[in-house]
Amino acid sequence: MPDQRRRHTRFGKRTTSETRDDTSVVIIGAGVAGLTLGSFLLRNGVDCFVLEKHPRAYVEKRQRAGTIDTFGVRLFRDWGLEEVLEGDPIPHSEGGFYIDGQAMPIDVDEGDNESLYCPQQVLVRNLTEVFLREGGDLRYEAADVALENIAQGRPVVRYRDADGAARVIDCDFVAGCDGFHGVSRRSIPASALTEYSYEYGYSWLSVLAATETRPSGMAIHERGLAGMIPRGPAGSRIYLQCAVDDTPEQWPDERIWSELEARFGTRPSHGEILSKQIVPLRSVVFDPMSYGNLYLLGDAAHIVPPMSAKGIHLALHDTEVFARAVIRHATEGDSSLLESYSQTCLPHIWNYQAFATWITDTMHNAGFTGCEGEFKKQIARAELQRQFASESANKLFSELTAGTN
């Protein structure tokens, strides 16, 4: 890697109108999948660059769900990255469960469940620090990213840096970790992908509030589902089931707090509401997850509803499968794992899509008669009761929740 490139990338202004680099893997997106992949590759001698369109400060403050299940905790440990879970982790078991305003005793078989809440901005910050500390090349404010020659041969990635200079990177592979709306999947011809999708008949009002999380957990109520989830020691993410055509303007602060209290049956802790948005619930899978030498990871390839808390799980699973494939190719010249990337990932993804659909419909139908009617409400409540009464059902639910199934 030329010293001149390092100097003007990190410390100085551009000296030419276009700079060309060469690497093994270009990773698009500095979220959980992209940064985890970067560290996996770097620690195994595979050169890579990470491109991120936003500034570092934005990425490290971006609030998103942060459930790290047992699979994720063990993955970071197995790859020697357990330090990235330090900061503000909160044990997964600290949540409650409420039905019609009554707190319910939950006797879920925890076993060796190591799941925890690690606010995603904390995880991303820690992954960033580790990647840069170990010599990783991370380029923020990469604008106008364009992927060329991905169908065959060596891909070319073009972008403009923070100073507006044109940059070009030749590489062996591109890892698209830039989310559902990123450039990576849009670079694949529509005819080369099959999209499977399911739209749920309701949305969530997602609220970020500067307050401790009390109560913590999920509530089932005839007015709709509610959730209050930790996002750090003085931050909470609030979810309220709402109509698909609702807007944030229909939810003033007073309505949010009163609705949360009604659904939980207890007064919640209050604080400043920092943001609110309507989140449509949907499940999406794209097949295949690769095109030529471009590979899709995480939300670029699939979406699960937040009720399942499996977004990070699936992103990390994709990341490990892809990392092992690239490392095998680099060290042994064996491309078989790359060729089978989609076939390896998709059965696992569909398994957790099934779980996500079941838990999402069950939790919403169990409370809100308007979703599917009184019959479906009673069916959903019977499903939930089975989790309390049946050891076998409890065991399967626990395995899926922990991500070990």
Side-chain angles (χ1 to χ4, degrees):
M1 189 180 299
D3 289 340
Q4 181 183 7
R5 183 191 60 75
R6 284 183 177 274
R7 283 199 300 272
H8 66 238
T9 296
R10 295 176 181 172
F11 304 113
K13 299 294 184 180
R14 67 183 186 273
T15 56
T16 61
S17 60
E18 182 178 284
T19 302
R20 199 167 196 115
D21 293 304
D22 192 286
T23 191
S24 294
V25 182
V26 173
I27 301 169
I28 312 295
V32 173
L35 292 169
T36 300
L37 176 61
S39 287
F40 286 177
L41 297 181
L42 202 63
R43 289 183 168 205
N44 285 272
V46 179
D47 190 42
C48 62
F49 297 161
V50 178
L51 302 183
E52 169 57 50
K53 69 177 181 179
H54 296 293
R56 179 174 180 176
Y58 174 89
V59 174
E60 294 186 359
K61 292 180 180 178
R62 181 169 48 192
Q63 291 270 353
R64 288 182 176 174
T67 298
I68 315 297
D69 62 19
T70 298
F71 169 83
V73 172
R74 292 175 180 173
L75 177 141
F76 284 123
R77 182 186 303 138
D78 290 345
W79 288 78
L81 283 171
E82 61 266 41
E83 66 179 283
V84 302
L85 298 178
E86 298 173 357
D88 300 307
I90 301 169
H92 193 291
S93 60
E94 283 193 4
F97 190 64
Y98 299 77
I99 296 181
D100 297 333
Q102 298 295 315
M104 298 292 294
I106 301 181
D107 186 22
V108 175
D109 179 16
E110 291 294 334
D112 56 356
N113 190 350
E114 300 179 70
S115 303
L116 53 81
Y117 289 119
C118 184
Q120 193 166 141
Q121 70 274 16
V122 174
L123 179 59
V124 168
R125 182 194 68 207
N126 291 348
L127 284 165
T128 301
E129 291 175 354
V130 169
F131 184 68
L132 294 177
R133 184 187 70 206
E134 298 187 355
D137 194 313
L138 175 49
R139 306 178 180 189
Y140 290 102
E141 299 181 73
D144 303 324
V145 174
L147 310 183
E148 302 174 0
N149 201 38
I150 57 175
Q152 58 185 359
R154 301 192 78 217
V156 175
V157 180
R158 298 182 182 275
Y159 71 100
R160 292 194 174 275
D161 65 20
D163 295 325
R167 310 297 296 263
V168 182
I169 308 174
D170 298 289
C171 60
D172 298 318
F173 308 107
V174 177
C177 306
D178 50 346
F180 190 79
H181 299 289
V183 68
S184 297
R185 197 185 64 254
R186 296 203 312 269
S187 300
I188 300 175
S191 60
L193 291 175
T194 298
E195 177 182 352
Y196 301 93
S197 62
Y198 175 69
E199 301 289 336
Y200 296 82
Y202 38 82
S203 294
W204 277 5
L205 173 72
S206 177
V207 177
L208 181 64
T211 178
E212 62 178 313
T213 309
R214 193 181 70 247
S216 174
M218 304 299 295
I220 289 172
H221 193 274
E222 64 181 8
R223 300 170 73 100
L225 189 80
M228 196 167 187
I229 309 298
R231 288 292 180 265
S236 297
R237 177 66 71 178
I238 295 167
Y239 298 113
L240 291 167
Q241 179 182 348
C242 62
V244 292
D245 56 353
D246 271 9
T247 65
E249 291 71 29
Q250 294 174 276
W251 288 87
D253 294 2
E254 297 79 6
R255 184 185 179 191
I256 291 171
W257 296 120
S258 63
E259 199 66 25
L260 193 64
E261 181 173 351
R263 299 185 191 189
F264 271 98
T266 185
R267 178 177 170 80
S269 55
H270 285 218
E272 180 186 2
I273 289 181
L274 305 175
S275 66
K276 61 182 84 168
Q277 62 179 325
I278 302 297
V279 178
L281 299 193
R282 58 185 172 175
S283 291
V284 183
V285 178
F286 288 93
D287 183 358
M289 294 168 58
S290 64
Y291 177 75
N293 287 317
L294 167 62
Y295 296 80
L296 304 178
L297 287 73
D299 286 358
H302 42 72
I303 296 287
V304 290
M307 181 73 246
S308 66
K310 290 302 168 189
I312 290 181
H313 169 96
L314 291 178
L316 291 176
H317 184 268
D318 295 347
T319 299
E320 184 172 42
V321 172
F322 182 67
R324 292 192 185 282
V326 172
I327 294 167
R328 171 80 67 83
H329 174 82
T331 58
E332 303 178 24
D334 180 358
S335 61
S336 60
L337 296 183
L338 285 166
E339 294 168 359
S340 62
Y341 172 69
S342 283
Q343 294 95 317
T344 301
C345 291
L346 284 168
H348 186 85
I349 291 164
W350 281 115
N351 182 43
Y352 279 91
Q353 286 285 4
F355 170 71
T357 302
W358 172 79
I359 190 63
T360 301
D361 277 337
T362 297
M363 291 288 285
H364 288 80
N365 290 345
F368 187 55
T369 305
C371 283
E372 294 286 349
E374 187 65 27
F375 182 84
K376 286 291 185 73
K377 174 179 177 178
Q378 296 304 325
I379 292 294
R381 292 206 171 195
E383 289 269 10
L384 288 177
Q385 183 60 36
R386 184 183 298 142
Q387 305 310 310
F388 299 118
S390 168
E391 182 177 347
S392 297
N394 183 284
K395 184 176 186 297
L396 177 59
F397 180 79
S398 299
E399 290 177 354
L400 288 164
T401 300
T404 57
N405 180 275

